[in-house]
Amino acid sequence: MVHVRHSRTAAWAAAAVLVLVPATAACSDNGDGGSGSSPTPTATATTAPPTEPGTSPPAGEGPADPAAAEAEIEQNWTTFFDPEASTEAKVKVLENGEDLRPLLAAFGGDKNAAQSSAKVTDVQFTSPTEATVTYDLLVGGAPALPGSKGTSVYQDETWKVSVKTLCALVKLSGNAAAPGC
């Protein structure tokens, strides 16, 4: 029980990094994927039944090249959660990343962010431009929040970590007052 409590505390500390930004930072979803409400870490908008791993979704319900899209999603999620990645690199892989630059810059000097990373364990396409992503949030290399759910969206010809996912982590940290979340 102590290990579970320690893991949750570490995960919350990692998620708390997201609230180290001034109240004026934009955390809104200006694209077509946001509702302005607080998402839950496991909330997804499924428009088609999940496919078996290694198979393509039915025509019209997934990207033209699911394998390439999945590889890009895994790479971009790794970059987004990589403590060594620059703010510029994170901006490029986050939905509306340019608008969220101040939030991402706040990660830079935080010791909890320096210990946090993520590993994608599954990708299920729900449309040609959205996927449900299952990932493990790692703190110090150990799973702190295994089996977490988020979404990836196709924006500007790139599969990106969604604002919904970012806001779900902000909510997990206990700060539901973050702008746009």
Side-chain angles (χ1 to χ4, degrees):
M1 184 70 168
V2 172
H3 176 68
V4 170
R5 214 174 306 143
H6 174 70
S7 294
R8 295 282 182 205
T9 301
W12 289 336
V17 169
L18 301 175
V19 299
L20 297 176
V21 70
T24 60
C27 185
S28 62
D29 181 354
N30 295 331
D32 58 7
S35 65
S37 63
S38 297
T40 60
T42 57
T44 60
T46 303
T47 59
T51 59
E52 291 297 315
T55 63
S56 298
E61 294 180 357
D65 186 347
E70 184 172 342
E72 183 178 353
I73 288 168
E74 288 180 21
Q75 177 60 46
N76 290 349
W77 279 61
T78 299
T79 298
F80 182 75
F81 286 98
D82 182 353
E84 301 293 320
S86 68
T87 298
E88 188 62 35
K90 292 176 189 242
V91 162
K92 290 178 182 178
V93 298
L94 177 64
E95 178 185 22
N96 303 327
E98 195 58 50
D99 295 339
L100 297 165
R101 185 180 290 277
L103 179 63
L104 295 175
F107 290 136
D110 187 84
K111 66 179 181 171
N112 292 317
Q115 297 177 26
S116 301
S117 61
K119 180 181 182 203
V120 173
T121 59
D122 189 45
V123 175
Q124 294 293 319
F125 294 100
T126 56
S127 79
T129 60
E130 189 167 329
T132 299
V133 179
T134 304
Y135 65 102
D136 295 337
L137 181 63
L138 309 172
V139 177
L145 288 177
S148 297
K149 299 279 186 185
T151 55
S152 189
V153 297
Y154 192 68
Q155 181 184 57
D156 301 327
E157 299 184 22
T158 302
W159 282 97
K160 299 181 179 188
V161 175
S162 71
V163 170
K164 290 178 185 180
T165 299
L166 180 66
C167 290
L169 290 171
V170 169
K171 183 178 179 183
L172 177 65
S173 74
N175 187 347
C181 293

